[in-house]
Amino acid sequence: LSAFYLSESHLSIPLIVLCEIVLLQSLVSQMSREKSAKQRYPCCIPVSNCNDTNVDGGGTSEGGCRVSSSRKSYKSMMIIEFGPHGVHAMASQDITAGTVIVQCLPLAHSLFNPPTNLLTEEENYGDENRRCARCFFSERNVDETTVARKQKFGRCSKCKVAFYCSRSCQEEDWNHFHKLECQYYSKRRKKSGNAPNFYATNAEEDAIPLLLRTFSALKILRDGNQQSPGESLNNEVLHDDLVSCGPDHFSSLMVSSEHIKPSQTETRSSALSGTSIKIAIDIMEKFAIKGSVYDKPQRDKNSAANSVWGYNNIVDDKRAAFTLHQSIERTLNAFKKNNFGIVDSLHSPFGEGVYPCAALLNHSCAPNCILRYEFGRKVGSKFQLPILQIVACRNIVKGEELTHSYVDLALPTVERRARLIGTHGFECKCIRCQKNGCCLELPENRDEWALWPLKHKFAAMEDKSC
């Protein structure tokens, strides 16, 4: 470009210098965006054209994300790319239908609020609908051939809420998740006057158990224990190619625009001013200073608790900082937009999990991937956390975006769009929504609809490309 301008006699040297400065600024800006992208998504899933984020043969990324693999060379079938609509996952190779693309361990997980009569009534101990609070294995699936599991699940003697299938699950859950949750249930019951039943009055209060379990997992990871709670099985051999995401990836989860940057004015929602959230904040602050690596005096336990969430580490403007209440509001918003409802074989939800890796997939009403869960996988003498598997539901070509559905695909187009706008804040414009619910061309004459499926099937059989 400089040589071109030098050949033009009517252009002056200052103009040439100005053009080069503009080009240099453009290059610096692009490099800065790429750098910030890497810092924003420090995941073990490779970023397209960023070789330094690959984890070959298993290992830990800068953000604490980890791939456990016994293979010498681990090649992810999913890569991250950045486009006009933000981050999205792409296929790094051709994938055949039925292939498990990624297996994810939860950063934290929780059963939905248990039936309140289980809190005090011992006669309900024989209920077969209980699940282990750690591995989510169902008590109804336990029989004489089930090894290392109790015929009747044991219950936490302190909170009387959580049940466990084995002593190992109870110990692991206490060390990584349940300790804070147990304190909350006990204090919440005491505040309610030891009432046999107490109910969550809003969605935020309903999310407090998972909030505390997530805080506990993040605290353990940020204190220097880079081993994921799902991998702490006393160095026993894990299943190949399990992705467990770290604290920095969690901090970068997508949230609504009002929660991306800290607000200059402290405006707390009414939901964060109740008794339950005050109990939770007190528990988080006391836990944050115990054995913490943060060089903070004990009176500054609020800052220590805020540091666990880690949102101030990704703020561009260092003059502004998230308060603890703002961090909690952002976390609850991230839960709403990114968490997964964990379902059984009948697709009935009974719990939720924080899977940052799987949250990279965007929505489509005509998806090429589906999600499924595996519970209670035995690893050595212990049991694994609930595993989320991303499975290709049709053949996928290299470079195609990986998507799954955020809503029930059986719903009408109008209702699907309404739910997506209400929960995720966007209007779906996938091929199915644009064609008013059908990805295939239907006959204009409705009298021909009865024979259309048969004709379409014959045409597909004749067309070798189908």
Side-chain angles (χ1 to χ4, degrees):
L1 185 62
S2 299
F4 169 76
Y5 281 129
L6 285 173
S7 64
E8 301 293 331
S9 59
H10 62 277
L11 291 177
S12 60
I13 295 299
L15 182 58
I16 296 174
V17 175
L18 179 61
C19 291
E20 292 184 338
I21 292 175
V22 171
L23 285 173
L24 182 61
Q25 288 178 341
S26 176
L27 291 174
V28 170
S29 176
Q30 182 179 356
M31 293 173 62
S32 177
R33 286 194 300 269
E34 292 179 356
K35 182 179 179 181
S36 63
K38 298 178 189 179
Q39 293 174 345
R40 180 173 172 78
Y41 292 95
C43 181
C44 49
I45 299 298
V47 178
S48 178
N49 300 324
C50 299
N51 295 327
D52 57 328
T53 58
N54 282 278
V55 180
D56 293 327
T60 305
S61 68
E62 294 180 359
C65 295
R66 183 176 179 84
V67 177
S68 60
S69 177
S70 60
R71 292 184 291 177
K72 293 183 179 180
S73 179
Y74 168 74
K75 179 65 174 178
S76 175
M77 287 184 278
M78 183 174 84
I79 58 174
I80 299 171
E81 286 194 357
F82 301 89
H85 302 291
V87 64
H88 52 273
M90 309 289 289
S92 63
Q93 62 187 56
D94 292 340
I95 304 172
T96 57
T99 302
V100 177
I101 300 174
V102 179
Q103 297 188 105
C104 311
L105 289 171
L107 178 68
H109 61 300
S110 175
L111 292 168
F112 287 146
N113 277 351
T116 52
N117 58 2
L118 290 180
L119 299 179
T120 57
E121 296 183 9
E122 294 290 339
E123 59 269 23
N124 288 313
Y125 185 82
D127 185 4
E128 296 181 353
N129 292 324
R130 288 191 297 264
R131 287 183 177 271
C132 177
R134 183 181 183 277
C135 69
F136 282 8
F137 195 80
S138 175
E139 190 178 51
R140 68 174 61 185
N141 294 330
V142 177
D143 54 27
E144 292 78 6
T145 61
T146 307
V147 181
R149 280 195 168 95
K150 300 178 181 178
Q151 294 297 311
K152 288 187 176 181
F153 286 7
R155 178 160 55 175
C156 175
S157 59
K158 185 175 181 180
C159 69
K160 301 189 185 331
V161 173
F163 286 82
Y164 296 98
C165 67
S166 62
R167 173 64 67 180
S168 62
C169 271
Q170 185 170 5
E171 291 176 353
E172 292 290 334
D173 200 52
W174 176 263
N175 292 333
H176 292 104
F177 302 111
H178 183 59
K179 186 181 296 183
L180 306 189
E181 179 189 33
C182 185
Q183 296 178 44
Y184 169 74
Y185 282 131
S186 301
K187 292 183 178 181
R188 182 71 178 86
R189 183 187 294 109
K190 187 176 180 180
K191 285 285 185 180
S192 63
N194 292 319
N197 298 327
F198 55 84
Y199 298 90
T201 57
N202 51 64
E204 288 79 6
E205 188 174 323
D206 195 43
I208 288 177
L210 181 59
L211 185 77
L212 292 172
R213 290 173 71 90
T214 304
F215 184 87
S216 177
L218 291 173
K219 171 67 163 54
I220 293 171
L221 292 171
R222 292 195 186 279
D223 272 359
N225 180 9
Q226 289 297 324
Q227 192 177 40
S228 168
E231 298 176 313
S232 58
L233 299 179
N234 293 341
N235 297 322
E236 298 188 32
V237 179
L238 292 175
H239 194 276
D240 281 348
D241 306 342
L242 280 176
V243 174
S244 54
C245 292
D248 291 346
H249 190 183
F250 171 81
S251 302
S252 300
L253 286 175
M254 188 66 65
V255 293
S256 300
S257 56
E258 63 269 20
H259 297 289
I260 295 177
K261 296 181 180 179
S263 175
Q264 299 297 331
T265 58
E266 181 74 16
T267 56
R268 300 181 188 178
S269 64
S270 57
L272 295 183
S273 302
T275 302
S276 299
I277 195 64
K278 290 179 180 179
I279 294 174
I281 291 176
D282 181 66
I283 293 173
M284 284 188 284
E285 289 178 341
K286 290 180 179 179
F287 184 66
I289 60 175
K290 288 184 178 180
S292 177
V293 297
Y294 304 109
D295 187 17
K296 301 283 186 182
Q298 186 167 351
R299 65 177 182 274
D300 202 9
K301 56 186 179 182
N302 184 281
S303 298
N306 197 24
S307 299
V308 173
W309 294 116
Y311 296 128
N312 289 325
N313 298 335
I314 60 174
V315 176
D316 296 331
D317 187 1
K318 298 303 180 182
R319 295 171 297 178
F322 284 93
T323 65
L324 180 56
H325 277 83
Q326 289 175 344
S327 294
I328 292 175
E329 287 183 330
R330 174 169 174 150
T331 301
L332 293 175
N333 186 261
F335 281 178
K336 180 180 179 181
K337 291 186 174 297
N338 299 279
N339 280 8
F340 291 83
I342 300 177
V343 298
D344 57 17
S345 57
L346 298 178
H347 213 73
S348 299
F350 60 85
E352 59 182 325
V354 184
Y355 295 90
C357 175
L360 294 169
L361 270 67
N362 285 333
H363 164 82
S364 174
C365 296
N368 53 21
C369 297
I370 58 172
L371 307 180
R372 71 184 183 197
Y373 297 89
E374 183 178 348
F375 311 115
R377 176 187 290 177
K378 199 168 186 295
V379 182
S381 60
K382 300 183 181 181
F383 304 99
Q384 189 58 274
L385 299 176
I387 298 172
L388 184 153
Q389 298 176 333
I390 302 175
V391 184
C393 60
R394 62 171 175 80
N395 293 338
I396 303 173
V397 299
K398 180 179 179 180
E400 183 179 351
E401 181 178 3
L402 302 177
T403 60
H404 76 99
S405 178
Y406 294 178
V407 295
D408 187 352
L409 292 175
L411 295 173
T413 302
V414 175
E415 190 170 347
R416 289 200 314 272
R417 283 185 163 183
R419 292 194 180 189
L420 290 169
I421 292 175
T423 304
H424 299 277
F426 68 87
E427 181 180 2
C428 184
K429 297 181 179 180
C430 69
I431 182 174
R432 186 179 175 195
C433 291
Q434 290 175 348
K435 291 189 175 182
N436 197 24
C438 185
C439 299
L440 301 173
E441 296 293 340
L442 292 174
E444 295 183 2
N445 185 1
R446 293 203 172 206
D447 295 335
E448 300 178 6
W449 280 25
L451 295 177
W452 177 83
L454 189 59
K455 292 180 179 179
H456 179 74
K457 181 66 176 178
F458 284 151
M461 293 173 63
E462 293 175 0
D463 188 355
K464 301 302 182 181
S465 63
C466 295

